[in-house]
């Protein structure tokens, strides 16, 4: 049973850009929520992952250089550590409060836009598209806004703004620490990008197979009277099993490529970067700043190299949300 939906092509670049434009408009329209949601969460990450370890490093440095450690000399560091963490958690609560409202208001408005767009279509459009498929596309167009915004907030702004802060601090200890870190991240990105593009082709095949499964299910349900009249339940079930098996195989293929090719490349690069940071801290920064530089470099490099693993995850989440949303704009 062939229908336009069962052979629907994947959204093109123009559709993705149009969906991105809709999402961007929502972020701009709700900028009084967008700005604090993204910036305060980034500041919270800076406090937790960079300022708090910096206080600990300074405490360790003082302890290493002073054999007469007392509670009075340690207490300011402990109170500073607690204060930074409490402030960071407070910023996170405010950020999430704003983010929840940004997601909710954005989704609400996109639901309205989606329905208005359907009302504007002519009758022929509804003859060529199933109601169930249109419902799914409208709902995905709105609901994927949450995943898009969360990825932008937590994995992009929440990672790269703290990285910039960490680079400034590391520069004060030893400029080569910054050069080494950024160079390794850049090299990893250059190596990963071709693999991500290759995986995109696998994802396109996967999504096309999923679309065929969805189209066949919708086709069978819409024509159930015909299926039963010709006693074709067995044939339709066999066709469904075949399409699902193809979808499963292509899905595993794309997942395995991310795990066995992309992450397998990123993992040793991450280890090598951390080892480089430790070596540079000991050989270049250890003399002047002592153990403090070693602790700061090790902690900052460990936090920063998480971004290497985020490359693929960021792309996958954005890819998923934008593909689903773009289907409505076709």
């Amino acid at each position: 049973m062939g229908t336009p939906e069962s052979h629907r092509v994947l959204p093109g670049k123009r559709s993705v850009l149009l969906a991105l434009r809709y999402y961007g408009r929502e972020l701009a329209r709700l900028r009084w929520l967008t700005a604090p949601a993204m910036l305060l969460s980034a500041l919270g990450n800076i406090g937790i992952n960079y300022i708090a370890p910096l206080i600990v490093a300074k405490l360790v440095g003082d302890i290493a250089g002073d054999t007469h450690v007392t509670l009075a000399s340690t207490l300011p560091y402990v109170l500073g550590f607690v204060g930074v963490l409490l402030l960071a958690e407070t910023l996170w609560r405010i950020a999430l409060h704003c983010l929840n409202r940004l997601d909710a208001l954005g989704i609400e408005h996109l639901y309205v836009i989606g329905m208005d767009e359907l009302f504007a279509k002519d009758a022929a459009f509804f003859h060529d598209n199933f109601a169930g498929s249109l419902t799914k596309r409208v709902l995905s167009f709105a609901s994927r806004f949450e995943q898009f915004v969360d990825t932008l907030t937590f994995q992009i702004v929440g990672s790269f703004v703290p990285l910039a802060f960490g680079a400034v601090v590391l520069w004060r200890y030893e400029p080569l620490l910054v050069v080494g870190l950024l160079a390794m991240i850049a090299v990893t990105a250059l190596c990963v990008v071709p693999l991500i593009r290759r995986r995109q082709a696998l994802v396109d095949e996967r999504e096309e197979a999923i679309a065929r499964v969805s189209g066949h299910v919708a086709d069978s349900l819409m024509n159930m009277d015909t299926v039963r009249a010709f006693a074709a339940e067995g044939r339709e079930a066999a066709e469904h099993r075949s399409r699902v098996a193809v979808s499963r195989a292509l899905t595993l293929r794309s997942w395995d490529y991310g795990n066995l090719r992309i992450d397998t490349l990123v993992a040793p690069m991450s280890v090598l970067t951390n080892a480089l940071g430790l070596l540079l801290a000991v050989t270049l920064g250890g003399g002047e700043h002592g153990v403090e530089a070693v602790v700061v470099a090790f902690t900052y490099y460990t936090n920063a190299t998480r971004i290497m693993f985020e490359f693929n995850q960021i792309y996958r989440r954005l890819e998923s949300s934008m593909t689903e949303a773009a289907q409505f704009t076709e």
Side-chain angles (χ1 to χ4, degrees):
M1 292 182 172
T3 67
E5 284 297 318
S6 63
H7 299 287
R8 179 175 58 82
V9 296
L10 291 173
K13 183 179 294 185
R14 181 178 177 277
S15 298
V16 172
L17 292 177
L18 185 57
L20 185 61
R21 187 182 306 167
Y22 275 113
Y23 286 178
R25 288 173 181 172
E26 290 305 305
L27 294 177
R29 184 178 69 88
L30 300 170
R31 54 187 174 276
W32 56 280
L33 291 171
T34 303
M38 295 186 180
L39 294 180
L40 293 182
S41 61
L43 292 177
N45 282 344
I46 290 175
I48 294 171
N49 297 323
Y50 290 91
I51 297 180
L54 184 61
I55 295 175
V56 173
K58 289 186 175 297
L59 173 60
V60 171
D62 286 353
I63 292 175
D66 186 3
T67 57
H68 303 288
V69 179
T70 64
L71 178 61
S73 63
T74 304
L75 191 58
Y77 292 103
V78 175
L79 293 178
F81 179 79
V82 172
V84 167
L85 291 183
L86 288 177
L87 178 59
E89 292 295 340
T90 301
L91 294 177
W92 260 103
R93 302 286 75 73
I94 298 173
L96 290 176
H97 183 82
C98 295
L99 182 64
N100 290 340
R101 279 143 187 81
L102 172 63
D103 287 340
L105 293 174
I107 290 172
E108 178 188 24
H109 192 228
L110 290 169
Y111 274 138
V112 174
I113 291 175
M115 199 63 178
D116 289 344
E117 289 290 331
L118 288 181
F119 284 142
K121 301 292 185 181
D122 56 25
F125 175 81
F126 296 98
H127 295 160
D128 296 335
N129 292 274
F130 292 121
S133 177
L134 290 176
T135 301
K136 176 180 179 295
R137 289 159 67 179
V138 171
L139 296 180
S140 295
F141 170 67
S143 62
R144 288 294 181 175
F145 177 74
E146 178 186 2
Q147 181 173 318
F148 173 79
V149 173
D150 289 355
T151 302
L152 191 61
T153 300
F154 299 137
Q155 295 184 284
I156 298 180
V157 177
S159 295
F160 287 95
V161 171
L163 176 62
F165 176 87
V168 172
V169 175
L170 287 176
W171 188 274
R172 297 182 60 186
Y173 285 96
E174 173 54 53
L176 283 179
L177 287 171
V178 180
V179 174
L181 177 61
L182 297 182
M184 293 300 293
I185 292 177
V187 169
T188 303
L190 290 174
C191 294
V192 166
V193 166
L195 297 180
I196 290 178
R197 289 177 177 172
R198 167 56 183 158
R199 184 180 177 277
Q200 175 60 38
L202 301 180
V203 170
D204 288 345
E205 295 176 6
R206 178 194 73 192
E207 294 299 320
E208 188 174 354
I210 293 173
R212 291 196 185 102
V213 172
S214 176
H216 180 259
V217 171
D219 193 12
S220 298
L221 294 178
M222 290 292 292
N223 296 278
M224 186 56 68
D225 290 340
T226 303
V227 171
R228 289 181 172 174
F230 288 92
E233 292 92 342
R235 185 175 69 249
E236 292 297 315
E239 176 69 15
H240 179 67
R241 286 194 295 270
S242 175
R243 292 178 183 241
V244 169
V246 172
S247 172
R248 180 259 305 158
L250 292 176
T251 297
L252 281 176
R253 186 182 177 190
S254 67
W255 288 350
D256 288 342
Y257 193 89
N259 176 45
L260 301 178
R261 296 293 297 276
I262 298 177
D263 288 347
T264 300
L265 169 66
V266 172
M269 293 296 292
S270 173
V271 173
L272 182 61
T273 302
N274 284 319
L276 175 63
L278 190 59
L279 180 63
L280 290 175
V282 172
T283 58
L284 300 176
E288 180 181 354
H289 300 283
V291 68
E292 178 183 331
V294 176
V295 174
V296 171
F298 176 76
T299 304
Y300 281 25
Y301 264 65
T302 301
N303 290 333
T305 50
R306 295 175 187 171
I307 295 176
M308 295 180 176
F309 287 98
E310 295 292 329
F311 290 151
N312 188 35
Q313 296 300 321
I314 290 172
Y315 187 88
R316 287 179 61 182
R317 288 175 63 86
L318 290 178
E319 161 197 272
S320 175
S321 61
M322 295 312 302
T323 298
E324 288 283 346
Q327 290 173 3
F328 177 73
T329 63
E330 290 181 281

